[in-house]
Amino acid sequence: MNKHILFLIHGMGVHKKNWADTVINKLKELSKDYTYFNENKLTDLVKFVPIDYDHVIRDVLNKWQEDSRGIRDFAKENGLDDKNLLSWLKRAGDTERNFLWSSVADVIIYRFFRVYSNRIRIDVIKELSDEINSEINEFGDARCSVLAHSLGTAVVHDCLHHLGAENWGDTQNVFGPTHWRFQSIFMIANTSRLLQTEPKAYDSIVRPGPNLDSNSYCFRYLNFRHELDPVPYPRMFDPIGWSSAYQSIIVQHYRDLGIHGLEHYLDNPRVHIIILRAVTSRWAITEQEAIKAVDNYRQFGEKFEAVEKIRDFLNELAMLKNELGQDLMPVDFIKGFIKFYQVINKHLKGIS
Amino acid sequence: MKLLSKNKYFLMIIFTLINLTIFGQTPSVYYPEKTDWIDKDDSRYITGVKEKFKNQIEVFAWGEVFKSLAYDFLSSKVGWDDNLHIKQKFQNELDSLVNDYTVAVEWAGIEDKENVDKILQKFRSGRFQGDVSLGIIIYFSGTDNEIELIPEVVDEEQAIDLRYRAETINKLLNEFKKPVREMNLKAIAKAESRWKNYINNGFSQYPWESFINGYITSFDIQNPPGHQWVIFHHELGVELSTKKIKQMKAKEVLTIEMLGWIDYYGDYWENFWGFSGIVTLRDDVGIGIGGIIHFGPTFNLGLTWHDINDDDNFFNDNPFLMLSIDILSYMNLTIPKYDKQLNNLKSARSIVMLSK
């Protein structure tokens, strides 16, 4: 029997062929907290298929850099002022220490350079359809879900719409929603509305619905957003009137300064439990395990661990203040003062 | 009777819960990802069904196959008496499948491999794809015939019965659709090749060119732009003076194609030709103006005029032959080897006529 296929689509920035290793390892590591996955390896149940579209953008940027290099060299050799002569393309293809070209340019190219966004889309569509077809040929059917992050959510939205709605080869589209659909779509830090072109994010078929519904393309759509992640905030994806198969989950945890990062989102049980259950089974994580994981997951941890400790310290000071009250005998005041220093000493090491 | 069936249902739940308590595990048939419940020799399994209907499948008599499978469920050997409404739901969907297929074939006219595309215009074939997005199997989700494959709804034998049949039919439907799926894939591959050729092998574009072309040319996901504007396009080239052939000198120049037009042809956008108005910059004879034609990525040939004698008239001096660096490197042209190369070119008949 075939495994559940989970397509992984990355966001902006440089992504090499093995970009998904850290994401897959993160999910594997998280799954080990649940008993079922100690007897059933996650990778025995789920086939992770990373989709890489970054190479299209890198090729474009490298070409711009190369095309301009000869011109700039010529200008130099011939005493021409090369400051404005394509000098701004000098580092277009560099991936090290080059946030503007290695990350920001991805978003600008995808959103505003329509010829390149179509090139990216057809590349991704081919990878998706080839994988689905290969699965059907081997096992008779394909159960597929998609996990996308940041810029990848906009890419995936556009690609899934085209994959399902286009008349490929002027024939009926058997990848279309009345013949086949995706199981779940997980959108993390969703920018599909922020970066939308045509079709608009709320008007496409990329929404949940039942079998045979030609206006929907998945059974379930889950939207994850961090409360302070600035990326999905402008033109937030927040549809009204969609079915109950659409869910929006806002997370509020802090483990790292990079709160936009995919692994940071996955770390939260309210994110990874949903994903793991959806690609395996409801019983893979019991209700008790889920409740315990969510209850025990503290809001602040790792790099933000001190925040929890400071909060505990402040709570204890507040309690002490309430105990002291207004009218104190001198002896009680001294006792309270000693207790105050004990509280400080108790928390001092932990916080620093 | 109602009370008896209610009690039976209640007992079934109690039995399942006891089973779970004693054995601590939900039977594997309910898990979407588990396959150990499957007996490949079971007549309901895909292999047995395909073998049984081998002849019909061979002659593309799919309608007969679906009818037989729908009829077969009526006489299922599994005990459904305590869950007739679930059985009815599944039967309803089987009957709808048969009915929809029959209507589609009647409309399409013929039931054969070449006509699958037409049949699919009226036949929605995704009916038996199970929804596993909640970590359980749901058939016909969101419809009146929705069935959740969980212990509280169907017992283990009933779950096995439904799962065999639904998965078999779904796989058969995927096989039925295969000719059209292959056509879809071919179209996607073709679109990808076209876009790859356009971006990677087409006439190169600087950022402003690709930005502008993205808004003023027409294209779609299957067809890249058939034309491309060339706008302020920088290139290196070589100019050859034509005053005296034996004294021809070559000089590297900066060429700016001010405005031009490229046309793509070939089913995969594998070829292009075009032309541009150009300005060339060189330090010895000043600015040149002229035109260039392009044939594919390698062959670029043009003529430019410079105001050599400084009389504000560009066109009363001999023109320069303009070649791209690509064609130059192809010709391996250097001054000492010029005569030999010129003879080679003449014999190959690959050079454009030079004007005086």
Side-chain angles (χ1 to χ4, degrees):
Chain A
M1 179 79 176
N2 45 331
K3 302 178 187 178
H4 195 124
I5 292 176
L6 182 62
F7 291 107
L8 304 170
I9 324 280
H10 61 74
M12 66 180 185
V14 179
H15 291 84
K16 298 200 167 96
K17 279 254 174 257
N18 61 349
W19 72 267
D21 288 355
T22 50
V23 177
I24 296 168
N25 288 338
K26 180 71 178 178
L27 283 169
K28 278 160 66 175
E29 178 199 310
L30 290 166
S31 70
K32 287 180 184 153
D33 289 342
Y34 310 102
T35 315
Y36 180 78
F37 294 106
N38 292 321
E39 294 142 22
N40 302 277
K41 271 174 62 180
L42 182 63
T43 44
D44 287 344
L45 305 170
V46 180
K47 182 180 180 185
F48 293 98
V49 180
I51 303 283
D52 164 40
Y53 60 86
D54 190 46
H55 65 95
V56 177
I57 298 176
R58 295 303 130 219
D59 287 349
V60 166
L61 294 174
N62 284 332
K63 196 153 194 318
W64 286 351
Q65 184 172 323
E66 275 312 304
D67 284 350
S68 67
R69 189 199 303 275
I71 310 296
R72 285 183 280 108
D73 290 346
F74 174 87
K76 225 178 196 171
E77 283 162 19
N78 289 273
L80 291 172
D81 180 8
D82 77 334
K83 270 203 182 112
N84 295 318
L85 195 68
L86 307 176
S87 57
W88 56 284
L89 292 172
K90 200 173 175 182
R91 293 197 67 212
D94 293 351
T95 55
E96 301 290 321
R97 293 172 154 231
N98 195 8
F99 180 69
L100 188 70
W101 283 109
S102 67
S103 294
V104 177
D106 292 3
V107 178
I108 293 171
I109 285 172
Y110 188 76
R111 175 59 183 81
F112 296 106
F113 287 74
R114 295 173 70 222
V115 292
Y116 298 130
S117 50
N118 269 288
R119 172 73 186 94
I120 290 167
R121 286 170 193 156
I122 193 62
D123 195 76
V124 172
I125 288 168
K126 186 163 187 306
E127 282 195 67
L128 291 170
S129 57
D130 282 349
E131 185 65 38
I132 294 165
N133 180 61
S134 171
E135 191 74 3
I136 291 174
N137 283 344
E138 189 174 351
F139 297 105
D141 185 27
R143 284 173 296 145
C144 302
S145 295
V146 179
L147 170 64
H149 173 242
S150 190
L151 172 62
T153 61
V155 173
V156 139
H157 167 268
D158 298 341
C159 292
L160 293 194
H161 176 81
H162 283 295
L163 176 61
E166 191 76 13
N167 273 7
W168 295 105
D170 292 324
T171 59
Q172 282 299 294
N173 181 0
V174 296
F175 291 102
T178 58
H179 301 295
W180 182 88
R181 60 185 51 225
F182 285 88
Q183 293 291 332
S184 304
I185 294 175
F186 308 107
M187 300 288 229
I188 297 182
N190 198 338
T191 59
S192 63
R193 191 165 166 249
L194 173 66
L195 300 175
Q196 66 187 3
T197 50
E198 283 300 323
K200 302 280 184 252
Y202 294 160
D203 296 341
S204 73
I205 63 169
V206 186
R207 59 169 68 204
N211 289 73
L212 308 186
D213 174 21
S214 55
N215 294 319
S216 65
Y217 201 25
C218 62
F219 287 114
R220 203 159 159 232
Y221 187 123
L222 293 122
N223 191 48
F224 299 95
R225 182 172 65 82
H226 191 283
E227 62 173 357
L228 285 188
D229 186 351
V231 175
Y233 187 76
R235 294 204 108 194
M236 195 186 307
F237 187 86
D238 190 21
I240 294 168
W242 282 19
S243 76
S244 58
Y246 168 78
Q247 254 183 289
S248 181
I249 293 115
I250 300 172
V251 291
Q252 298 158 313
H253 66 289
Y254 299 84
R255 292 289 180 279
D256 194 83
L257 293 174
I259 55 169
H260 176 63
L262 177 53
E263 283 107 75
H264 187 265
Y265 273 94
L266 292 175
D267 195 68
N268 192 317
R270 293 181 63 221
V271 176
H272 69 249
I273 286 178
I274 291 175
I275 294 171
L276 289 173
R277 275 176 164 170
V279 297
T280 56
S281 66
R282 172 196 285 184
W283 299 281
I285 299 171
T286 65
E287 277 310 302
Q288 292 81 358
E289 283 179 320
I291 290 166
K292 188 179 165 192
V294 172
D295 267 353
N296 290 346
Y297 192 73
R298 305 200 78 180
Q299 187 179 14
F300 298 98
E302 291 179 37
K303 285 193 175 123
F304 287 85
E305 213 173 312
V307 175
E308 283 280 344
K309 291 177 178 162
I310 291 167
R311 207 159 58 174
D312 290 344
F313 166 66
L314 293 174
N315 284 341
E316 226 177 305
L317 275 189
M319 273 168 45
L320 176 64
K321 189 187 99 174
N322 290 337
E323 278 173 22
L324 292 176
Q326 286 284 336
D327 296 314
L328 270 185
M329 298 300 288
V331 172
D332 292 325
F333 171 74
I334 293 166
K335 281 181 187 172
F337 201 66
I338 292 168
K339 202 169 178 185
F340 170 65
Y341 269 103
Q342 283 172 340
V343 166
I344 290 177
N345 281 332
K346 181 176 125 188
H347 288 277
L348 192 65
K349 273 182 191 160
I351 290 168
S352 57
Chain B
M1 273 303 283
K2 259 188 187 174
L3 192 64
L4 194 63
S5 87
K6 256 193 192 168
N7 280 340
K8 266 195 179 168
Y9 186 68
F10 180 69
L11 283 169
M12 183 188 78
I13 293 174
I14 297 291
F15 176 76
T16 306
L17 287 171
I18 291 169
N19 189 41
L20 288 171
T21 312
I22 292 171
F23 299 104
Q25 199 161 343
T26 306
S28 65
V29 66
Y30 298 105
Y31 288 70
E33 77 280 17
K34 288 197 172 177
T35 58
D36 51 0
W37 58 274
I38 294 174
D39 171 8
K40 288 186 179 174
D41 293 326
D42 193 295
S43 62
R44 296 164 293 181
Y45 186 64
I46 182 70
T47 319
V49 171
K50 280 179 78 171
E51 183 57 35
K52 182 179 173 184
F53 295 106
K54 190 169 68 178
N55 295 334
Q56 288 91 331
I57 292 170
E58 218 164 291
V59 300
F60 223 78
W62 286 100
E64 224 176 285
V65 176
F66 300 140
K67 270 189 201 135
S68 300
L69 291 171
Y71 185 74
D72 189 62
F73 185 59
L74 278 170
S75 50
S76 169
K77 293 184 178 68
V78 168
W80 279 101
D81 291 346
D82 56 341
N83 224 347
L84 282 172
H85 68 293
I86 298 294
K87 191 182 183 198
Q88 189 57 57
K89 285 183 175 184
F90 199 84
Q91 191 68 55
N92 288 345
E93 290 293 330
L94 285 168
D95 295 340
S96 293
L97 172 76
V98 172
N99 189 56
D100 287 355
Y101 184 78
T102 307
V103 166
V105 168
E106 271 170 24
W107 178 84
I110 311 168
E111 186 187 23
D112 67 15
K113 194 175 173 179
E114 281 69 41
N115 226 23
V116 174
D117 179 38
K118 201 165 179 192
I119 295 170
L120 287 169
Q121 285 181 43
K122 298 287 183 190
F123 175 55
R124 298 187 294 173
S125 66
R127 189 185 298 274
F128 281 85
Q129 184 185 6
D131 171 3
V132 300
S133 64
L134 286 170
I136 58 172
I137 301 165
I138 304 175
Y139 292 121
F140 326 121
S141 70
T143 70
D144 292 338
N145 293 320
E146 179 175 298
I147 301 170
E148 289 187 342
L149 224 72
I150 53 176
E152 296 88 334
V153 174
V154 286
D155 69 33
E156 192 177 348
E157 284 307 307
Q158 290 165 350
I160 288 171
D161 198 23
L162 293 184
R163 217 172 148 181
Y164 269 133
R165 294 178 191 278
E167 288 184 9
T168 292
I169 290 170
N170 194 40
K171 287 176 184 178
L172 288 173
L173 285 165
N174 282 331
E175 190 156 331
F176 163 74
K177 289 178 284 191
K178 189 172 178 179
V180 177
R181 188 164 61 249
E182 283 171 350
M183 286 159 74
N184 292 157
L185 288 164
K186 209 169 162 182
I188 291 170
K190 190 174 189 180
E192 201 246 356
S193 292
R194 283 171 167 178
W195 274 101
K196 214 169 175 173
N197 274 339
Y198 171 76
I199 297 288
N200 295 2
N201 303 325
F203 190 79
S204 67
Q205 299 183 70
Y206 281 98
W208 57 90
E209 291 177 285
S210 49
F211 178 78
I212 293 168
N213 279 313
Y215 290 92
I216 63 173
T217 58
S218 32
F219 50 90
D220 57 41
I221 193 74
Q222 296 193 62
N223 303 286
H227 316 290
Q228 179 181 317
W229 289 95
V230 180
I231 305 164
F232 206 61
H233 184 95
H234 296 60
E235 227 168 52
L236 290 180
V238 169
E239 276 184 339
L240 298 168
S241 73
T242 61
K243 198 163 185 180
K244 282 181 184 172
I245 288 183
K246 292 217 175 208
Q247 290 170 15
M248 260 199 196
K249 289 182 183 177
K251 177 129 175 105
E252 197 178 37
V253 297
L254 174 62
T255 309
I256 303 174
E257 296 188 45
M258 301 302 290
L259 189 65
W261 172 261
I262 300 289
D263 184 53
Y264 287 89
Y265 60 98
D267 200 24
Y268 285 81
W269 270 238
E270 62 268 32
N271 291 306
F272 65 83
W273 77 280
F275 54 87
S276 302
I278 59 175
V279 165
T280 58
L281 301 175
R282 48 191 287 182
D283 54 5
D284 55 351
V285 294
I287 290 173
I289 56 173
I292 193 167
I293 52 171
H294 305 286
F295 287 106
T298 317
F299 193 91
N300 304 286
L301 190 63
L303 283 176
T304 53
W305 285 265
H306 293 263
D307 183 13
I308 295 169
N309 52 16
D310 236 346
D311 63 351
D312 289 342
N313 188 349
F314 281 79
F315 299 104
N316 59 0
D317 299 306
N318 284 341
F320 288 74
L321 187 63
M322 210 353 252
L323 305 168
S324 67
I325 292 287
D326 288 336
I327 196 172
L328 194 65
S329 53
Y330 172 74
M331 292 166 63
N332 196 25
L333 192 66
T334 55
I335 292 168
K337 290 180 190 171
Y338 173 73
D339 282 338
K340 185 183 171 191
Q341 295 300 330
L342 181 59
N343 288 334
N344 287 344
L345 281 170
K346 280 179 178 172
S347 63
R349 295 173 192 259
S350 62
I351 200 167
V352 174
M353 286 293 291
L354 305 176
S355 62
K356 183 180 178 253

